[in-house]
């Protein structure tokens, strides 16, 4: 047998009554008849007592008979099984696993620190018990391997100035990365009968040796982007000012005056400090 088999053992309360009769009955008979031969029945009752099992909700018992798989009990309750069965307990409850922070290289070769949070549970007790040596350790090792592979598939962030533009990045594409991670881990853990309920990135940052440099780079990129917006807006405002002055014929400016006005407005609008106004009390020619 290479697949899980669900069984429902005998009712434990009925066998408990049989146990009580076989255990206390010989004692009463031995005392009343003063014959010790009834005591020989008590070991049979003790053997019967070994077969009692209690299965709690979201737990299971894998039963073996001299190394042969008999079945799995998943329904909670009080049961009695063959006393010679080996009874292995496997929890079916959801478990959390928070991996250690791993240093890996992203798609662009940058070292990053990354960890994952995994929610999993046992779905197939046969695979969990017999297809892998230790399914809990198997979950930890395969999750780390999946995280390393995932980090190498995507860059940490986009670097448009260097021509590296990706649709999915580790930092910004949280949902897409989580789906890819969950799929990768689920494929790896299916051999152990493990169901992946959720997988997501728990920690993500550049490695310490390049963190400061990358922070300065991000700041520089943000400054350049802000300046680009400022210049774009300033050009639009200057263009609008010249158009309105010409349209309403407030003042007639030659090309030289227009150039001076454009220069002054651009300095004022694009400067990072407040400009100090200078009042011109003369005329246009002086």
């Amino acid at each position: 047998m290479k697949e899980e088999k669900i069984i429902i053992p005998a009712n434990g309360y009925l066998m408990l009554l049989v146990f009580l009769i076989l255990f206390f009955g010989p004692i009463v008979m031995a005392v009343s008849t003063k014959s010790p031969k009834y005591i020989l029945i008590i070991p049979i009752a003790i053997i019967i007592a070994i077969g009692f099992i209690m299965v709690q909700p979201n737990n299971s018992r894998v039963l073996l008979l001299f190394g042969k798989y008999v079945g799995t009990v998943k329904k909670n309750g009080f049961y009695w099984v063959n006393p010679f069965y080996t009874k292995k307990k496997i929890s079916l409850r959801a478990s959390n696993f928070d991996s250690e922070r791993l240093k890996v290289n992203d798609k662009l070769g940058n070292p990053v620190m990354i960890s994952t949070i995994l929610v999993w549970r046992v779905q197939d007790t046969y695979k969990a018990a017999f297809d892998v040596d230790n399914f809990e350790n198997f979950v930890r090792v395969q999750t780390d391997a999946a995280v390393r592979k995932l980090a190498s598939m995507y860059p940490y962030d986009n670097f448009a100035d260097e021509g590296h533009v990706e649709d999915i990045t580790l930092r910004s594409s949280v949902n897409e990365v989580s789906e890819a991670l969950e799929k990768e881990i689920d494929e790896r853990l299916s051999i152990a009968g493990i169901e992946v309920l959720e997988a997501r990135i728990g920690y993500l940052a550049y490695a310490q040796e390049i963190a400061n440099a990358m922070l300065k780079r991000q700041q520089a990129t943000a400054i350049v982007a802000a300046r680009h917006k400022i210049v774009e807006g300033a050009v639009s405002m200057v263009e609008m000012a010249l158009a309105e002055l010409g349209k309403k014929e407030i003042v007639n400016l030659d090309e030289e005056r227009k150039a001076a006005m454009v220069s002054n407005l651009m300095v004022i609008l694009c400067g990072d400090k407040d400009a100090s106004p200078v009042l011109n009390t003369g005329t246009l020619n002086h």
Side-chain angles (χ1 to χ4, degrees):
M1 183 178 297
K2 294 185 179 181
E3 59 183 12
E4 184 183 62
K5 177 183 178 183
I6 306 300
I7 62 173
I8 300 179
N11 190 300
Y13 296 102
L14 179 60
M15 293 304 299
L16 179 61
L17 178 60
V18 174
F19 164 76
L20 294 175
I21 293 174
L22 294 178
F23 187 81
F24 293 102
I27 297 177
V28 174
M29 292 298 296
V31 172
S32 60
T33 62
K34 297 181 180 181
S35 177
K37 63 181 180 180
Y38 293 102
I39 303 298
L40 298 177
I41 303 177
I42 293 179
I44 299 177
I46 295 176
I47 294 176
I48 292 177
I50 299 175
F52 290 114
I53 61 172
M54 184 178 295
V55 181
Q56 298 176 348
N58 287 327
N59 275 280
S60 66
R61 292 294 182 93
V62 177
L63 305 179
L64 300 174
L65 180 61
F66 303 121
K68 181 180 179 181
Y69 175 67
V70 176
T72 301
V73 183
K74 286 187 174 181
K75 185 177 180 181
N76 61 296
F78 183 56
Y79 302 103
W80 183 85
V81 297
N82 190 327
F84 297 102
Y85 282 172
T86 300
K87 300 170 280 292
K88 183 177 182 179
K89 183 178 180 181
I90 294 181
S91 175
L92 303 179
R93 299 172 182 172
S95 300
N96 282 321
F97 171 61
D98 188 1
S99 69
E100 297 181 356
R101 295 178 182 179
L102 305 174
K103 181 186 290 188
V104 297
N105 293 330
D106 67 355
K107 186 177 180 179
L108 302 180
N110 298 317
V112 297
M113 300 297 295
I114 187 172
S115 69
T116 183
I117 298 176
L118 177 67
V119 183
W120 60 278
R121 66 182 176 189
V122 175
Q123 186 177 36
D124 191 315
T125 56
Y126 179 88
K127 292 182 179 180
F130 306 114
D131 284 356
V132 294
D133 185 30
N134 185 323
F135 67 89
E136 293 181 346
N137 183 65
F138 187 81
V139 170
R140 290 192 292 269
V141 174
Q142 293 301 321
T143 299
D144 289 346
V147 171
R148 292 180 183 275
K149 180 180 178 181
L150 179 81
S152 65
M153 294 171 58
Y154 306 107
Y156 180 90
D157 204 353
N158 278 320
F159 296 108
D161 56 336
E162 294 185 0
H164 299 294
V165 179
E166 298 284 345
D167 295 332
I168 300 177
T169 62
L170 296 175
R171 186 182 66 86
S172 60
S173 306
V174 178
N175 294 331
E176 292 81 357
V177 172
S178 296
E179 290 177 1
L181 178 62
E182 183 174 334
K183 182 179 179 181
E184 179 68 23
I185 297 178
D186 187 65
E187 291 178 355
R188 292 173 176 268
L189 299 184
S190 59
I191 187 177
I194 304 297
E195 178 186 9
V196 177
L197 302 178
E198 183 184 6
R200 64 182 184 275
I201 300 298
Y203 178 85
L204 180 65
Y206 280 114
Q208 186 176 3
E209 57 266 27
I210 67 168
N212 291 333
M214 288 301 178
L215 178 60
K216 292 180 180 179
R217 179 173 186 164
Q218 290 176 352
Q219 292 173 343
T221 302
I223 292 174
V224 170
R227 288 294 179 184
H228 181 272
K229 288 293 183 181
I230 292 174
V231 171
E232 183 179 354
V235 171
S236 177
M237 294 175 66
V238 171
E239 182 182 6
M240 182 180 64
L242 292 176
E244 290 295 323
L245 289 173
K247 180 180 178 181
K248 296 181 179 180
E249 298 181 353
I250 297 176
V251 62
N252 293 323
L253 300 175
D254 56 15
E255 295 301 323
E256 183 179 353
R257 295 291 181 179
K258 287 182 180 181
M261 181 178 179
V262 170
S263 176
N264 293 333
L265 287 176
M266 292 298 294
V267 170
I268 294 173
L269 295 174
C270 296
D272 57 353
K273 295 182 180 179
D274 295 335
S276 299
V278 177
L279 296 178
N280 185 6
T281 59
T283 64
L284 291 176
N285 297 322
H286 298 284

